[in-house]
Amino acid sequence: MSKGFQRLPGFRDFPPEDLAVRSHIFEAWRRVSRRYGFLEYDGPPLEPLELYVEKSGPEIVGQLYNFTDKGDRAVALRPEMTPSLARILAERSRALPKPIRWFAVPQLFRYERQQRGRLREHFQWNVDVVGEEGVSADAEVLAVGLDGLRALGLTDQDVRARVSDRRLLAALLSAGGVEEGRRMAAFGVIDKLEREGPDKTSERLIAATGVSEREAGAILELLGGTLDDVATHFAGRDEVAEEVARLREYMGTLGAMGLGSFVELDLRIVRGLAYYTGIVFELFDRKGKMRAICGGGRYDRLLELVGGEALPAVGFGMGDVVLTDLLRERGLLPDTARSIDYFLVTVVDELRPQLLTLAHALRDQGRSVAYSLKPQSVGKQFKVAASEGAREVIVLGPTEMSRGVAMVKDMASGQEREVSLKELWGRTDG
Ligand code: HAM
């Protein structure tokens, strides 16, 4: 007896109704990217392992699907797109006008512990601006992401963007007594703040950076504060003032775009990936029940790190998994019931050649047409028509044909009418 096969854990099949949802999301992503003038690109799903080591940080490297290929190369399935983008641009950026505005919708692979909203494969919309260091590029990138969600029917009642800046965090940490060499360790601890709570975070911050309990407490308090709190606390310190001014400009730009109600400052957002250098953000459902829908930020040194031109860059990745859950919860999934324009029925099988000719004439006009692939009773053919979601059924019968007409039934209203064959052949109406 043959053995059945199971799908690998964390991987998905996409039967037509699920693929229809996925395509609906991809179409919105692509439409909005193009609206902003971004060009689509792609790269290979398999990359040299080396591309991710050091650059993406230990969290992602621990989740790699990697192996040695038959040519003895250490390779990995791409867990994210940004290193591939950096690699592709290292080869080409010099010849490209700046800023480079590219987007992609790759399938990515991470060997994660399976949980709600996290699988071992997902599709991720990536939007990146490369070659512009000004804060307007940061705002533009977040605006694309928010508009992608708006195009799917989500509003500021459904999602929010939590924004922070690693430069401001670095300034806060230095002022709070954390040495530069311990900064990344501190980022790692803060990144887990929400999951682990303030007490554990404080303990871990002390252990990771050597700050006192009082210093750790002061840092954690500021992380929960507003931009005004930070500005007041550090009044007179130029390095902090500069970071605060940049964030205010960023918020102002998004406000002018009409997107201000989506955006909140939240200094607890650090992002898990190692390469971010400036403004970082994550998008969440308003109720805060789900994992992040999207994450991104500025990474001004990655291109240089992979051997390319030293270009500033900013971008995001938005996954399809949490987003689909959120759209389902909000009743925003598209109607995926199958439908076709016409189902053709013959009363007698001898009329099959005429049926085929008509089917092809209609298909040439761009209509979707189906018919039974084997002789069946009229009743059976109508049943198939209904299950195919046909809007109209065209019945070819010998008596009607001899009069140059066919019977057309509107499946929604049940109304029947006679239509001349000539008209059907040359049909161009809606
Ligand atoms: P990331 O935060 O690792 O960023 O992933 C971005 C988004 O992809 C997440 O917010 C989540 O929606 C989705 N995602 C990530 N891992 C999984 C998973 N295992 N299952 C389902 N969804 C997942 C990056 O990947 C950066 N490279 C984004 C970026 C682009 N930064 C700049 N440019």
Side-chain angles (χ1 to χ4, degrees), residues 80 82 110 112 119 124 128 271 275-276 292-294 315 317:
E80 56 156 338
T82 317
R110 297 184 188 181
E112 290 216 44
L119 301 175
Q124 197 189 79
D128 292 86
R271 307 273 299 126
Y275 48 66
Y276 292 110
I293 304 166
C294 171

Side-chain angles (χ1 to χ4, degrees), residues 65-76:
Y65 269 93
N66 60 304
F67 58 95
T68 307
D69 76 3
K70 290 175 182 165
D72 251 350
R73 294 174 202 91
V75 295

Side-chain angles (χ1 to χ4, degrees), residues 29-102:
W29 286 349
R30 292 198 160 100
R31 200 164 62 240
V32 171
S33 304
R34 295 198 182 105
R35 237 187 247 166
Y36 278 77
F38 283 72
L39 299 175
E40 186 164 5
Y41 72 100
D42 201 356
L46 200 64
E47 290 276 15
L49 175 65
E50 192 58 29
L51 189 59
Y52 306 105
V53 178
E54 303 283 316
K55 288 132 203 133
S56 300
E59 191 163 318
I60 270 213
V61 170
Q63 296 168 345
L64 284 174
Y65 269 93
N66 60 304
F67 58 95
T68 307
D69 76 3
K70 290 175 182 165
D72 251 350
R73 294 174 202 91
V75 295
L77 283 172
R78 58 186 177 192
E80 56 156 338
M81 197 60 181
T82 317
S84 297
L85 172 66
R87 181 186 60 67
I88 296 166
L89 287 180
E91 227 176 273
R92 300 170 185 267
S93 69
R94 285 185 179 80
L96 297 172
K98 315 291 180 323
I100 299 159
R101 292 184 295 168
W102 282 11

Side-chain angles (χ1 to χ4, degrees), residues 164 168-169 172-173 186-187 189-191 193 201 205 216-226 229-230 265-270:
S164 177
L168 179 58
L169 284 169
L172 294 188
L173 290 171
F187 283 169
V189 173
I190 296 168
D191 186 44
L193 170 60
T201 304
L205 201 57
I219 290 170
L220 291 183
E221 195 180 322
L222 273 174
L223 295 180
T226 64
D229 295 335
V230 174
L265 178 88
D266 191 333
L267 295 173
R268 292 167 300 180
I269 297 295
V270 185

Side-chain angles (χ1 to χ4, degrees), residues 18 56 82 108 120 128 131 135 137 173 269 330 372 401 405 425:
D18 293 343
S56 300
T82 317
L108 306 176
R120 291 187 175 160
D128 292 86
V135 76
L173 290 171
I269 297 295
R330 295 290 190 280
S372 293
M401 294 282 286
V405 297
W425 244 256

